[in-house]
Amino acid sequence: MKVINCTHNVNNKYGLTNYFIPIILVLAIFFLSLGGIGGSLQVPRLLIICLVPFFVIRLLKLQRLRIYGFRFSLFVFGSGLFLYSCLSLVWSEDFQTTLSYLFVLAINIIPIIVLSVVNDNEMHLLKKFIPLAWLLSGLVVIPLALYELSTGNHFFLSMQDRGGGEISSSLPFAAGFHGNLNDFSLFLFFCIFGALLLSKDKFRSSRK
């Protein structure tokens, strides 16, 4: 079993520090319901950026943190992908475009790396509240989708504003604030998956 000794110290079961990462990640998931609102400064991205100082401080404190098993794999995957992406700047023909993509990729990788350094208490809270965050986020967008399907009216970030053309406007569709059907469909998939996880936990609890 591979182990990395890094930083962390758990003084009590659920101290304030144990709530920080779960709260940020849960809020980031919930605000994914806003889709593309905010452009580059979308609320989930801003929340994820808030995790960076916390992650760096945790790694720099020479206390005890054990990264093993699946968390070790997350750490290696996230760090390796980010380092390789940084190296791609060397051979990129369009440095500015590549740099902008690298920024977006870094925002998406941060949660992966952060999950590799959470302690057991934080992981327990994440397992408990992340499915709930997906469910609540889905409950926010479903009424929007029903409104779009029933009225044919769409929000300012829907496909009609992305150049969907006459074909898309002649067919019933819903995209919420996500801008296109693919993004919205993937988002709904995770919402349904979160709801299934919650129902599974409730079922297990009822049988105890």
Side-chain angles (χ1 to χ4, degrees):
M1 179 182 296
K2 298 194 175 183
V3 176
I4 297 177
N5 288 321
C6 299
T7 71
H8 198 46
N9 185 26
V10 181
N11 296 321
N12 49 48
K13 187 176 181 182
Y14 290 114
L16 292 177
T17 57
N18 288 319
Y19 283 99
F20 182 79
I21 288 179
I23 288 175
I24 293 297
L25 289 177
V26 166
L27 287 176
I29 290 174
F30 175 76
F31 283 114
L32 286 174
S33 60
L34 298 179
I37 292 179
S40 299
L41 300 178
Q42 296 173 18
V43 175
R45 292 180 181 177
L46 296 177
L47 289 170
I48 293 301
I49 291 175
C50 293
L51 292 175
V52 175
F54 185 84
F55 171 73
V56 173
I57 291 173
R58 178 168 290 190
L59 285 181
L60 293 179
K61 284 184 179 179
L62 298 179
Q63 299 172 358
R64 189 178 182 184
L65 171 68
R66 297 175 67 82
I67 305 176
Y68 55 89
F70 179 68
R71 298 183 195 180
F72 181 81
S73 300
L74 285 178
F75 185 84
V76 172
F77 172 76
S79 302
L81 180 59
F82 181 70
L83 291 175
Y84 178 79
S85 301
C86 290
L87 288 175
S88 68
L89 292 171
V90 176
W91 59 77
S92 173
E93 297 181 358
D94 189 339
F95 182 86
Q96 185 174 359
T97 301
T98 304
L99 187 62
S100 64
Y101 287 155
L102 180 61
F103 173 76
V104 175
L105 178 64
I107 297 297
N108 293 321
I109 289 178
I110 289 173
I112 297 176
I113 300 179
V114 168
L115 284 176
S116 69
V117 298
V118 297
N119 59 49
D120 292 338
N121 298 329
E122 292 165 332
M123 183 61 72
H124 175 75
L125 291 171
L126 287 169
K127 289 179 179 178
K128 183 177 181 180
F129 290 110
I130 281 183
L132 179 61
W134 280 114
L135 174 61
L136 294 177
S137 190
L139 292 177
V140 170
V141 300
I142 287 177
L144 304 180
L146 293 176
Y147 169 80
E148 289 182 272
L149 292 173
S150 61
T151 65
N153 298 323
H154 302 285
F155 301 97
F156 66 94
L157 287 173
S158 60
M159 280 184 61
Q160 290 177 338
D161 299 310
R162 292 281 186 96
E166 295 181 0
I167 296 179
S168 64
S169 61
S170 63
L171 299 174
F173 71 91
F177 296 121
H178 288 71
N180 62 67
L181 296 176
N182 292 332
D183 292 346
F184 191 62
S185 298
L186 181 61
F187 172 78
L188 288 179
F189 168 79
F190 282 106
C191 293
I192 295 172
F193 187 70
L196 291 175
L197 287 178
L198 274 180
S199 61
K200 179 181 178 182
D201 292 339
K202 293 292 185 182
F203 178 73
R204 285 182 175 179
S205 300
S206 64
R207 296 188 63 182
K208 290 183 180 180

